[in-house]
C-alpha cells in the first residue's frame, strides 16, 4: 500500500464487492473484510530512494535540469507465464489524454499524489507510508460504496503487533509441521554485488523469482567437429534447458542461433557443455545436492570453482555447429542433428533448444520450413538427411468443449498437438508470432493438464504425474541436471543482469509429494476456479512449484520467530491472512481507525501466545492459560469457526503462479485433514484492466485514480463501467464513455420509476399514460413473463461471477424489454399497465443492487416506498411457450419493418396505400404429420426434445420414399419449435382434425 487506489485496484475489488452484495440479496450472512498489505520492499525501497534524494539534492531538493532516468518497465506477469509455458451524460471528462511529464524522482512522485512539500521528507521513514496511505484507501472505498466490514481492517508488518503475532504463529506451525527448512537454495543473485538481489536492490524485475529448468545433455557424436577440437577427448554435450522433460521422447533435432555466440565450458566432472557465456556464468553459481542421512544434503557445485566458468578454447558462432550429429537421451532416433532457428533468444535459457515437433509449435513450424524449403537448407548448409525425421507422437491431448459464447472453446484431440494447432491456426511461418503464442498456450497448458503419455515406462499415465518421474530418471541416469534462471529479466541497481545462484536461505518445501497431492486432490474435487483455463493454471502451477525462499534480509514485515536476522517475505506472510479477518475486530477494536493496532483495544498483543492462537484456530487445541478474558477468547474461536472456510477470494490472474497457489498450500499445512471445513472453496481471477483500450500508464497520462473517477462519474457509474469492462482472463477494458453513459442511464431510469409511481413532481414530458386492472393484452402477459426470464438469466450469470453478462440481462436486456412494451402500447394507443411498470422498477432495482447499490436503494425506498429490505426477486415460473410466441412476434414485426423499408424505397417518395399481413388458418399436410407424431410421442406426458426429434427421424412419412421426404429437415425445425408447447401439461384442442396444445 504505497499510494492511492486506482481503477486497477477497483476493478478486481468489484468482483468480490458484487458477489458480497449479491449473496446478501439472496439471504446469506456475508463477511466482506478488507486489509492493507504493506509487507516487502516497495515501501522500503521508495523510502530509501527518497532518503537518498534528500541527502543528494537537499530538503526541499534542487533536482538537476537534465531529464531524469525513465521509469523502469514493469514486468508483464502474463508474459512471464507464457515464457515459462513456451506460452451520454453530464459528467466531466477526465484529463487522461494529457501527457504526463516523465520522472523517476520519488519526491516528485509524492508531490503528484497531492502531499504538501513540507510533509514529504517524513516519508523517508517507511512507517510513515503505513500511517498515511491506508486511511485514504478506507475513505476511497467508502466513497465507492464498498460494503466492507471496516471493523476488521488492518495493516501488515511488525508495525501491527497483533498481525505480527499472527504471522509468527503461522510460521511456528509451518516449522512444527516440517514445512520449512534451511540450506542452499536458488535465489536471484547479483554477481558484481556478490549477494542476493532482493526486490529493493533491483532497478527492474521486482517480484521475479527463480525458475527451475532441466538441462538435457545431448552428446556430440563426432569428436572431430571443427569448432570443438579444443575439447580433445572430453565428452562434449549441447545442453538445452527445458520445462518439459517428459517430451524428450519426441526429439528429432536440436536448434541453435546461427549468429549467436557459443562456448565450450568445462564442468567439475570433466564434461564439457556447449552453451552461451551468459548461461555458463549462471550455471557456475549453481550445483546439485546428494542426500545426507546425518544432516543437510551435501552441495556440489557444477564448476570447479564456484562462480567461475571455465571456457575451453574460444567462443564461436552457432553457424559452426550446424549439422553436428548428436545423441539425444530418450529419443527414438539414434542420431539427430543441429539445425538453425533464427528466433532463439540468447538472453533466455542456454541458447540451445532441443526440438520436439510433436508437442512444440515453434519446433514443428521450424522443422517444416526446413523440410519444404530447399533454398533455406542451402543457405545454412543443411543436408536433406539432417531433416529427414518424422514427427514422433508421444502424448495424446484430449480437451473437452468449455465456456460459452465468445469465450467458448471447442473440443479437440491429437497425438501431435503442435502439428494440429499449426494447421488449425493456419501457421505457415516462424514469423506468425501471435498465432504461435496461441498454439503454445493450447499445447503446453493442456498437455500438462489433459495429456496422456503414449511412450516410455510411464505410458498411459497423465503428463502431470509423469513429468516429475521422467525428470528424476533423466537426472539419475546422468542425462540431465537442474538449472535455474530468473523467470524474466532482473536488473540490479548496479546495472547488471542478475542470475540465479544457490545461497543459504530459509525456504518452504512446496512440491513435497504428499503435500502437493493433498492440494491437487482438493483442487480436483472441491475447488471452484470459475473458468476452465484458471483451473488448468492452478494445476499447472502445482505441477512445477517447488521450494520457495520465504525470507529476506531487508524490508518491512515480520521477523522469522527462531531466526530474527531474517524477515518473512511479502508473499509468504499473507497466505492465510483471511483467518485473521475473523478475529481482527476483537483484537484491534476500532478497525479502520486503528489499522496498526497501536490503540490497544481489549488486551495487549503480548497476550497472544502460540497456545492462544492454537485455541482460536485449531479444532482440538486445549484451552490455554491466559490473561485474555474468557468471553473474548471464546468469541474469537466461535467467530473463526462460524465464518471459515473462505468462500471466495478475488485476485489478478498473475498471482495463480505464486501467491494463490501458496494460499492453498499453507491452508493445507495449517489445517491438515480439514479440507472441507478450512481450505479455500473458490478463487476468482481476472485479467488486467485497460483504460479506454490502452494500458494504464502514469507516464503516458492514461491513468485514473479511484477517487477521481468517482468525482467524475459517481460511484455507481464507475461500478457499472467496471462490471461492463469484462470478466474473462483477457484484459478488461474500462471505458470512460460507458461510465459517462451510465450517469444518464441511471438518471433516466430513476425518472421512469417515479413516473410509474405517478409521482406528481415528474416533469410533464416524462409523465406516463397508465392503466390499472387486469392484464388484458397478450403483450401484458408476455412482458410479465419475460421479467421472470430476465430474473432467471441474471441469477445464472451472477452465480457464476459473470457480471458483464449479468448486466447485459439485468440492465440492458431489461430496458430493451420495457422499451418494446412501451413501443407496442404507444403504437396501439393503449396505456401501459401501471402495476407491470412498478414491478419492472422493483425487479430492476433488485437486479442492479449488487452493481449500483446507491441507485437501487434510492429507487427501492425513496421512489417505490418499499418498507422491507431490498432482496432478490422470488423465482417466477417462466412460460416457455409464451416466451417463444413473444419472441416470434417481435421477430416477425422486425422483419415486417425491414421488408416495408425496402418497399418504401421502391415507391420513391409516394405514400403507400397500406400493408397487409396474412395468417394461415390451416397447417400444410407435412406440419400436420409432425403434430400427429408429437401427439403420439407425448401421449399426455412430458418428453425430452431429443425423444421427439428421434421419433420424427423414424417417421416413415419423412423417409426417403415417404410423401414428405423433401420436408424432412423442415420437419425437424418445426418439431423443435413446437417442442415447448408439448412440454407443458397438455390441454386438448383440435386444429384441422389434429389435437394440439393451445397457443397463448
Amino acid at each position: 500500500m504505497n499510494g492511492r487506489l486506482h481503477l486497477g485496484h477497483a476493478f478486481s475489488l468489484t468482483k468480490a464487492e458484487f458477489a458480497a452484495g449479491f449473496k446478501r440479496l439472496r439471504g446469506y450472512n456475508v463477511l466482506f473484510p478488507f486489509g492493507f498489505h504493506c509487507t516487502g520492499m516497495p515501501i522500503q525501497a521508495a523510502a530509501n530512494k527518497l532518503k537518498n534524494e534528500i541527502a543528494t539534492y537537499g530538503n526541499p531538493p534542487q533536482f538537476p535540469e537534465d531529464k531524469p532516468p525513465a521509469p523502469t518497465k514493469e514486468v508483464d506477469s502474463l508474459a512471464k507465464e507464457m515464457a515459462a509455458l513456451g506460452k451520454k451524460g453530464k459528467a466531466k471528462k477526465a484529463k487522461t489524454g494529457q501527457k504526463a511529464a516523465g520522472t523517476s524522482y520519488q519526491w516528485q512522485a509524492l508531490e503528484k499524489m497531492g502531499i504538501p512539500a513540507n510533509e514529504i521528507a517524513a516519508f523517508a521513514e517507511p512507517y510513515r507510508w503505513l500511517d498515511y496511505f491506508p486511511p485514504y484507501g478506507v475513505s476511497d472505498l467508502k466513497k465507492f460504496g464498498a460494503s466492507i466490514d471496516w471493523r476488521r481492517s488492518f495493516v501488515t508488518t511488525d508495525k501491527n503487533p497483533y498481525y505480527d503475532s499472527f504471522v509468527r504463529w503461522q510460521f511456528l506451525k509451518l516449522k512444527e509441521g516440517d514445512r520449512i527448512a534451511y540450506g542452499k537454495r536458488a535465489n536471484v543473485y547479483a554477481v558484481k554485488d556478490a549477494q542476493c538481489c532482493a526486490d529493493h536492490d533491483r532497478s527492474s524485475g521486482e517480484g521475479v523469482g527463480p525458475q527451475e529448468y532441466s538441462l538435457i545433455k545431448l552428446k556430440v557424436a563426432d569428436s572431430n567437429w571443427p569448432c570443438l577440437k579444443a575439447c580433445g577427448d572430453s565428452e562434449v554435450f549441447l545442453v538445452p534447458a527445458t520445462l518439459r522433460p517428459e517430451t524428450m521422447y519426441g526429439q528429432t533435432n536440436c536448434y541453435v542461433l546461427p549468429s549467436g555466440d557459443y562456448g565450450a565450458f568445462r564442468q567439475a566432472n570433466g564434461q564439457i557443455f556447449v552453451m552461451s557465456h551468459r548461461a555458463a556464468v549462471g550455471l557456475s553459481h549453481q550445483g546439485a545436492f546428494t542426500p545426507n542421512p546425518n544432516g543437510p544434503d551435501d552441495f556440489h557445485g557444477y564448476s570447479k570453482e564456484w562462480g567461475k566458468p571455465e571456457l575451453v578454447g574460444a567462443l564461436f558462432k552457432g553457424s559452426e555447429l550446424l549439422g553436428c550429429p548428436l545423441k539425444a537421451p530418450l529419443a527414438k532416433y539414434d542420431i539427430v542433428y543441429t539445425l538453425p532457428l533464427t528466433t532463439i533468444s540468447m538472453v533466455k535459457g542456454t541458447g540451445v533448444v532441443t526440438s520436439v515437433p510433436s508437442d512444440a509449435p515453434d519446433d514443428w513450424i521450424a522443422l517444416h520450413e526446413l523440410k519444404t524449403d530447399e533454398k533455406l537448407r542451402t543457405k545454412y548448409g543443411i543436408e536433406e538427411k539432417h531433416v529427414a525425421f518424422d514427427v514422433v507422437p508421444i502424448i495424446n491431448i484430449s480437451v473437452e468443449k468449455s465456456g460459452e459464447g465468445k469465450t467458448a472453446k471447442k473440443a479437440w484431440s491429437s497425438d501431435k498437438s503442435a502439428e494440429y494447432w499449426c494447421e488449425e491456426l493456419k501457421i505457415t511461418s516462424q514469423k506468425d508470432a501471435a498465432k504461435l503464442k496461441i498454439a503454445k498456450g493450447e499445447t503446453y497448458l493442456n498437455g500438462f493438464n489433459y495429456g496422456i503419455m503414449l511412450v516410455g515406462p510411464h505410458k498411459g499415465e497423465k503428463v502431470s504425474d509423469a513429468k516429475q518421474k521422467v525428470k528424476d530418471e533423466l537426472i539419475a541416469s546422468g542425462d540431465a541436471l537442474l538449472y535455474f534462471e530468473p523467470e524474466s529479466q532482473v536488473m540490479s541497481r548496479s546495472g547488471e543482469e542478475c542470475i540465479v545462484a544457490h545461497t543459504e536461505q530459509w525456504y518452504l518445501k512446496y512440491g513435497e509429494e504428499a503435500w502437493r497431492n493433498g492440494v491437487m486432490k482438493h483442487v480436483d474435487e472441491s475447488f471452484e476456479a470459475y473458468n476452465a483455463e484458471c483451473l488448468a493454471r492452478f494445476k499447472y502451477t502445482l505441477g512445477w512449484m517447488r521450494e520457495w525462499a520465504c525470507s529476506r534480509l531487508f524490508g518491512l514485515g515480520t521477523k522469522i520467530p527462531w531466526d530474527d536476522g531474517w524477515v518473512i517475505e511479502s508473499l509468504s506472510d499473507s497466505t492465510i491472512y483471511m483467518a485473521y479477518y475473523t478475529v481482527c475486530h476483537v483484537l484491534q477494536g476500532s478497525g479502520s481507525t486503528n489499522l496498526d493496532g497501536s490503540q490497544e483495544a481489549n488486551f495487549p498483543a503480548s497476550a497472544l501466545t502460540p497456545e492462544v492462537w492454537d485455541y482460536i484456530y485449531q479444532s482440538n487445541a486445549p484451552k490455554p492459560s491466559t490473561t485474555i478474558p474468557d468471553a473474548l477468547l471464546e468469541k474469537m474461536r466461535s467467530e473463526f469457526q462460524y465464518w471459515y472456510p473462505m468462500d471466495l477470494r478475488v485476485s489478478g490472474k498473475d498471482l495463480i503462479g505464486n501467491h494463490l497457489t501458496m494460499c492453498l498450500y499453507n491452508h493445507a499445512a495449517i489445517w491438515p485433514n480439514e479440507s472441507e471445513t478450512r481450505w479455500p472453496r473458490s478463487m476468482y481471477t481476472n485479467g488486467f484492466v485497460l483504460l479506454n483500450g490502452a494500458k494504464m500508464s502514469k507516464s503516458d497520462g492514461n491513468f485514473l485514480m479511484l477517487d477521481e473517477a468517482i468525482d467524475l462519474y459517481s460511484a455507481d457509474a464507475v461500478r457499472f463501467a467496471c462490471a461492463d469492462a469484462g470478466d474473462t482472463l483477457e484484459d478488461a477494458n474500462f471505458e470512460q464513455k460507458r461510465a459517462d453513459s451510465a450517469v444518464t442511464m441511471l438518471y433516466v431510469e430513476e425518472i421512469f420509476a417515479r413516473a410509474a409511481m405517478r409521482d406528481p413532481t415528474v416533469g410533464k414530458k416524462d409523465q406516463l399514460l397508465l392503466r390499472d386492472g387486469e392484464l388484458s393484452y397478450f403483450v401484458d402477459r408476455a412482458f410479465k413473463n419475460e421479467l421472470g426470464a430476465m430474473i432467471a438469466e441474471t441469477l445464472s450469470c451472477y452465480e457464476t461471477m459473470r457480471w458483464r453478462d449479468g448486466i447485459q440481462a439485468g440492465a440492458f436486456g431489461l430496458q430493451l424489454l420495457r422499451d418494446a412494451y412501451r413501443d407496442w402500447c404507444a403504437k396501439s394507443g393503449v396505456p401501459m399497465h401501471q402495476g407491470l411498470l412498478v414491478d419492472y422498477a422493483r425487479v430492476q432495482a433488485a437486479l442492479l443492487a449488487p452493481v449500483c447499490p446507491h441507485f437501487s436503494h434510492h429507487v427501492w425506498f425513496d421512489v417505490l416506498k418499499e418498507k422491507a429490505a431490498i432482496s432478490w426477486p422470488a423465482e417466477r415460473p417462466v412460460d416457455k411457450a409464451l416466451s417463444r410466441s413473444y419472441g416470434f412476434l417481435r421477430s416477425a414485426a422486425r422483419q415486417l419493418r425491414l421488408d416495408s423499408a425496402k418497399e418504401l424505397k421502391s415507391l420513391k417518395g409516394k405514400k403507400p396505400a397500406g400493408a397487409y399481413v396474412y395468417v394461415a388458418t390451416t397447417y400444410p399436410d407435412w406440419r400436420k404429420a409432425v403434430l400427429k407424431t408429437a401427439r403420439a410421442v407425448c401421449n399426455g406426458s412430458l418428453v425430452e426434445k431429443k425423444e421427439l426429434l428421434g421419433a420424427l427421424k423414424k417417421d416413415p412419412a419423412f423417409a426417403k420414399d415417404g410423401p414428405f421426404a423433401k420436408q424432412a429437415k423442415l420437419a425437424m425445425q418445426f418439431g423443435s419449435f413446437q417442442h415447448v408447447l408439448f412440454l407443458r401439461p397438455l390441454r386438448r384442442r383440435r386444429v384441422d382434425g389434429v389435437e394440439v396444445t393451445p397457443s397463448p
Side-chain angles (χ1 to χ4, degrees), residues 408-420:
K409 292 189 176 182
K410 71 174 186 177
W412 65 278
S413 179
S414 178
D415 292 348
K416 303 179 213 177
S417 59
E419 181 177 353
Y420 171 86

Side-chain angles (χ1 to χ4, degrees), residues 351-564:
V352 181
V353 176
T354 189
S355 173
V356 184
S358 59
D359 289 79
D362 283 327
D363 298 347
W364 186 88
I365 192 62
L367 183 60
H368 177 74
E369 285 188 287
L370 285 167
K371 281 184 174 184
T372 58
D373 191 338
E374 185 177 353
K375 289 183 179 180
L376 184 62
R377 293 200 302 271
T378 301
K379 175 182 177 180
Y380 290 109
I382 300 300
E383 300 176 23
E384 190 170 351
K385 72 173 186 177
H386 296 155
V387 296
F389 295 85
D390 293 329
V391 174
V392 182
I394 58 171
I395 295 171
N396 172 266
I397 304 176
S398 296
V399 181
E400 296 180 353
K401 179 182 178 181
S402 65
E404 297 178 358
K406 293 181 180 180
T407 62
K409 292 189 176 182
K410 71 174 186 177
W412 65 278
S413 179
S414 178
D415 292 348
K416 303 179 213 177
S417 59
E419 181 177 353
Y420 171 86
W421 277 103
C422 284
E423 293 178 349
E424 180 76 10
L425 297 173
K426 296 179 173 56
I427 297 172
T428 59
S429 167
Q430 299 174 56
K431 296 178 181 179
D432 293 336
K435 290 182 179 179
L436 282 168
K437 181 177 179 179
I438 296 172
K440 285 185 284 188
E442 292 289 349
T443 54
Y444 294 3
L445 198 60
N446 289 318
F448 178 81
N449 290 301
Y450 307 112
I452 301 295
M453 299 297 297
L454 300 176
V455 296
H458 306 294
K459 179 179 179 180
E461 293 185 21
K462 293 180 179 180
V463 168
S464 56
D465 295 330
K467 176 185 283 286
Q468 185 65 38
K469 297 176 184 177
V470 175
K471 179 169 70 175
D472 291 344
E473 290 163 1
L474 282 166
I475 293 173
S477 66
D479 291 316
L481 62 153
L482 294 183
Y483 169 66
F484 296 85
E485 284 194 357
E487 296 166 303
S488 59
Q489 188 183 70
V490 177
M491 299 299 293
S492 74
R493 296 195 182 277
S494 301
E496 70 168 329
E497 182 182 1
C498 293
I499 61 167
V500 170
H502 279 109
T503 59
E504 300 291 338
Q505 177 66 264
W506 286 104
Y507 60 93
L508 285 156
K509 298 194 285 186
Y510 296 143
E512 282 190 338
E513 186 175 4
W515 195 5
R516 182 188 69 238
N517 290 346
V519 177
M520 185 69 84
K521 183 174 185 292
H522 176 67
V523 169
D524 276 333
E525 299 177 0
S526 309
F527 183 73
E528 175 61 68
Y530 300 97
N531 179 295
E533 185 175 346
C534 291
L535 189 63
R537 291 190 184 202
F538 274 106
K539 293 180 179 180
Y540 181 81
T541 302
L542 285 167
W544 66 256
M545 181 179 276
R546 295 294 180 269
E547 298 160 342
W548 181 272
C550 60
S551 57
R552 296 287 186 267
L553 292 171
F554 309 99
L556 302 182
T558 293
K559 290 181 171 57
I560 288 184
W562 58 89
D563 190 350
D564 62 8

Side-chain angles (χ1 to χ4, degrees), residues 50-63:
L50 180 64
K51 186 182 296 183
N52 291 335
E53 289 173 5
I54 293 172
T56 304
Y57 303 113
N59 181 15
Q62 300 297 314
F63 295 118

Side-chain angles (χ1 to χ4, degrees), residues 158 164 167-168 557-568:
D158 55 5
D164 184 66
V167 175
R168 291 169 65 87
T558 293
K559 290 181 171 57
I560 288 184
W562 58 89
D563 190 350
D564 62 8
W566 296 89
V567 177
I568 298 169

Side-chain angles (χ1 to χ4, degrees), residues 154-173:
F154 60 91
V155 296
T156 63
T157 77
D158 55 5
K159 181 173 172 53
N160 182 345
Y162 296 94
Y163 186 75
D164 184 66
S165 175
F166 168 75
V167 175
R168 291 169 65 87
W169 168 79
Q170 175 195 353
F171 267 69
L172 287 170
K173 297 299 291 184

Side-chain angles (χ1 to χ4, degrees), residues 243-380:
L243 291 164
R244 308 172 72 208
E246 74 282 0
T247 66
M248 294 303 99
Y249 297 100
Q251 295 177 91
T252 61
N253 60 279
C254 177
Y255 290 119
V256 295
L257 180 68
S259 61
D261 290 321
Y262 295 83
F265 298 90
R266 192 180 302 278
Q267 307 303 303
N269 62 3
Q271 294 179 343
I272 294 176
F273 291 174
V274 176
M275 59 204 312
S276 68
H277 181 266
R278 169 193 161 278
V281 171
L283 188 66
S284 69
H285 287 82
Q286 301 172 26
F289 296 86
T290 55
N292 180 0
N294 300 316
D297 292 347
D298 294 325
F299 176 80
H300 307 281
Y302 291 138
S303 292
K304 290 181 180 179
E305 186 174 353
W306 190 84
K308 294 185 177 181
E310 181 184 342
L311 176 65
V312 179
L315 296 177
F316 49 84
K317 292 295 181 181
S319 57
E320 299 179 57
L321 290 168
L322 298 180
C324 181
L326 306 167
K327 293 181 179 181
L330 303 184
K332 171 184 175 181
Y333 302 105
D334 293 333
I335 294 292
V336 299
Y337 295 93
T338 309
L339 302 178
L341 184 64
T342 57
T343 59
I344 289 177
S345 169
M346 297 301 287
V347 295
K348 188 72 177 176
T350 63
V352 181
V353 176
T354 189
S355 173
V356 184
S358 59
D359 289 79
D362 283 327
D363 298 347
W364 186 88
I365 192 62
L367 183 60
H368 177 74
E369 285 188 287
L370 285 167
K371 281 184 174 184
T372 58
D373 191 338
E374 185 177 353
K375 289 183 179 180
L376 184 62
R377 293 200 302 271
T378 301
K379 175 182 177 180
Y380 290 109

Side-chain angles (χ1 to χ4, degrees), residues 32 35 224 360 422 518 545 648 707 787-788 861 870 913 933 936:
F32 179 30
N224 294 314
C422 284
M545 181 179 276
L648 170 68
D707 69 319
L787 286 176
F861 293 110
I870 190 171
T933 300

